[in-house]
Amino acid sequence: MEPRLVGPGPYRATRLWNEIIELFRAGMPLRKHRCRFKSYERCFKASEAVDCLHELLGSNQNFGPEVTRNQTVKLLKKFLKNHVIEDIKGRWGKEDFQDDGHLYRFPPSSPLKPYPKKLSCGKEVIKFPDWNEPKAGTSQEHIPVKSVAMNSEMWYKRHSIAIGEVPACKLVFRRELTQTNVEEIWKSMTLSRLQKVLGLDSLDEVLDTKLVNSKHIVQNAYNVNKQGIVTLEDKSKELPHWILSAMKCLANWPSCSDLKQPTYSGFERDVFKTIVDYFGQMKEPLLTFHFFDVFVSVLGLLQKHSKAVEALQISCLLLPPENRKRLQLLVRMMARISFNKDLPPLSESVRSRTLMVQAFSRCILCSKDEMDLDELLAAKLVSFLMDNYQEILSVPSTLKSSIEERVVHLQRVQIKYAGADTDATFPPPSFCHQISTDEFEYQRATGSQEPLAALLEEIAMNKEISLKDKKKKLKQFQKSYPEVYRARFPTPESEAVLFPEKTKEKPPILMWALKKPFQPFHRTRSFRM
C-alpha cells in the first residue's frame, strides 16, 4: 500500500489515523520469536515496531522527516491503548509501551476510527442593509441640485436621453454603513476566501461559523503596530511583563536591553524553562479548540506553499486578538532562537529547532478531545510556522484591499439604469445550503457522471460520424471512464445494437460459369493429307 497525501477537508485527523494504521499493518515485518522458552508466531519486538513506524512516518509526506523517535513511541502507546496492537498475551488498553524487546502482535483486525457525525447547526445568515432604500426623509423628487451653466455638450447629453438614445436611470442612495455592517462584511468575505483556498464545498465540517467573531477579524487587521504585532484594547489581556522580558532576552541574545547579562552558567536555560512553564499551563492552545479542524485541514496544503501560507494567514485572522499577539511573539522568539548561533545550547541532546517544536507544539495546537495524532500534526504545523512566520502572521494585503473596495463601493451613491443590477461588479456573498451526508455522497457521484453519461450518449447516437470513428471514440471512452461506459452498455449485446452486421449477398451463379472452359483445337492424324 502506497502512502498518499491526505488533502484538506473534514475529518482529516481521522483519515490520517486510519491510513497510518493500514500502512503500519502492511509494512511491519512479522516473524517467529521466543520468550521464556516459548515460541510465538507472527509477532514483533517493540524496538522493531519503533524502527518500522518511525521510518514510515518520516517518508510519509503528511508528516515528514522531522518526526522524532520519541514521538513514534508515543504514537505506539496510543496504538496499544486503542487495540491497534496487543502484547503476545492479548493484553491492551494501557499506554505502557516501551522501546525495548517486549513482544507484540496485531489483533485479527485493528479498529479503524469511524468518521464522526457532527450535530447539524443552522447556518448564520448575515443580513446586510437594504442599500437601495434612500434615507428617511429624502426623496428623489426633491434632490437639491446645484445650478450649472448649460453648454453644447450637456445639451446634447440631455437631448440624447430625451429621444431615447440613453436608457432611463435613477440615483441610488446608500444607507450609511455602521461598524457592525463593516465587521460582518469582513467576516463574510474572509470566510468565503478561506473556503476557496481550502478547496472545500462548505466550511461546515471544519468550522462552526457562529463561533467566528467578526470584531476579532477587524481588530487583527487594523490594530497593529509598526512591526505588525496586534495591539490590544484590553491591557489586562497582555502578557505579564516578566514573561515579555524573558522572551525578549532569548530572542535578542546576547544584546538584551531589558536585562543585565548574568554571570552564572545556565542562566539562559532557566529563562527558557520559565517561558515553557508559563505557556504550558494555559487551559486552551493559542489556536483555540474551535479552530483545530481548520488548521489541520491547512496541513493538507503544505505541498502547495503559496496556498498554505494564504490559508494560514486567513485562519490566524480569525483568532482572538490576545491569542494572535501571543502567537506572534512566541513564534518569532522560537524562530530567532533556532537560528541564533550565539545562544548557548538549551539542551544537551536536542537541537534548538527540535527543542522549540517539542516544547511549544502543544500550547499552539491541540484538540479538546485528545486526538491521537495531535502531537505529530502540531509539530508539522509549528515547523511550517517557524519557517514562514513573518508572512503568515501578517495581514493578507490582497484580502484587505478587496474588502475595503467592497465597503467603499457599497457606500457610494450610484446611477442605476433600468433593468441593470447596481452591484453587478461586486456580487454579494453566496451562502451554501446544508445537506445530509447521504445527499452529499449522491451529488458527488452523480454530479460528475451525468455530464459524462450525456457525452457518451451523444457519441453513441451521432449518425454523422462513420462506424469506424464511432468505434474508436467509444473504445477511448471505455478506457477512460469504464464505470460510466458499463452503466450504458452492461452487456456486449447492448453494445452490438449500435453496429448491426451487414448481410453480404452472394452474386448469382451464371450458367456459363458451370460449363467447361474453352478447349483449344488439337489436330489429329485423320486430318492429315
Side-chain angles (χ1 to χ4, degrees), residues 195-257:
Q195 178 179 329
K196 184 176 181 179
V197 174
L198 291 178
L200 302 177
D201 295 330
S202 173
L203 290 176
D204 284 347
E205 300 296 345
V206 297
L207 176 65
D208 185 354
T209 56
K210 287 184 178 180
L211 301 177
V212 177
N213 192 323
S214 56
K215 293 181 181 294
H216 292 168
I217 302 176
V218 176
Q219 290 177 16
N220 290 332
Y222 290 104
N223 296 356
V224 295
N225 59 18
K226 294 181 179 180
Q227 291 75 32
I229 306 296
V230 177
T231 57
L232 302 182
E233 298 177 353
D234 187 355
K235 300 303 179 182
S236 64
K237 295 181 179 180
E238 295 277 5
L239 282 172
H241 178 72
W242 54 275
I243 282 292
L244 282 174
S245 299
M247 295 174 69
K248 289 180 180 179
C249 178
L250 294 184
N252 302 319
W253 188 278
S255 57
C256 181
S257 58

Side-chain angles (χ1 to χ4, degrees), residues 443-512:
Q443 289 183 5
R444 185 175 65 174
T446 58
S448 60
Q449 291 186 1
E450 286 179 357
L452 293 174
L455 175 61
L456 177 60
E457 191 67 22
E458 182 179 352
I459 297 174
M461 296 293 106
N462 193 342
K463 298 181 179 180
E464 296 180 359
I465 58 177
S466 63
L467 292 179
K468 182 179 179 181
D469 291 339
K470 182 178 293 188
K471 287 182 179 180
K472 184 177 179 181
K473 290 178 180 292
L474 290 176
K475 188 174 182 180
Q476 292 176 346
F477 193 98
Q478 183 182 16
K479 184 177 180 181
S480 302
Y481 310 103
E483 295 182 358
V484 180
Y485 191 88
R486 195 181 307 116
R488 176 61 177 84
F489 302 108
T491 61
E493 291 76 11
S494 60
E495 184 181 9
V497 176
L498 298 177
F499 309 103
E501 295 184 0
K502 293 183 178 180
T503 58
K504 296 182 179 180
E505 297 182 358
K506 295 182 179 181
I509 301 177
L510 300 177
M511 294 301 296
W512 61 265

Side-chain angles (χ1 to χ4, degrees), residues 44-57:
F44 50 86
K45 290 182 179 180
S47 58
E48 295 173 346
V50 178
D51 293 337
C52 176
L53 186 57
H54 186 222
E55 181 180 357
L56 187 151
L57 293 172

Side-chain angles (χ1 to χ4, degrees), residues 129 142 148 164 192 223 231 252 278 280 287 292 299 320 324 374 381 411 452 467 476 490 501:
H142 300 86
V148 293
S192 177
N223 296 356
T231 57
N252 302 319
Y278 175 82
L287 299 183
F292 174 79
L299 288 175
R324 180 178 171 87
D374 277 7
L381 179 66
Q411 291 176 323
L452 293 174
L467 292 179
Q476 292 176 346
E501 295 184 0

Side-chain angles (χ1 to χ4, degrees), residues 299-314:
L299 288 175
L301 295 174
L302 294 190
Q303 303 296 324
K304 304 175 182 178
H305 184 272
S306 59
K307 279 196 171 184
V309 169
E310 184 181 3
L312 285 174
Q313 276 184 330
I314 300 174

Side-chain angles (χ1 to χ4, degrees), residues 28 70 250 256 280 346 410:
M28 181 67 215
N70 185 42
L250 294 184
C256 181
L346 300 176
L410 293 175

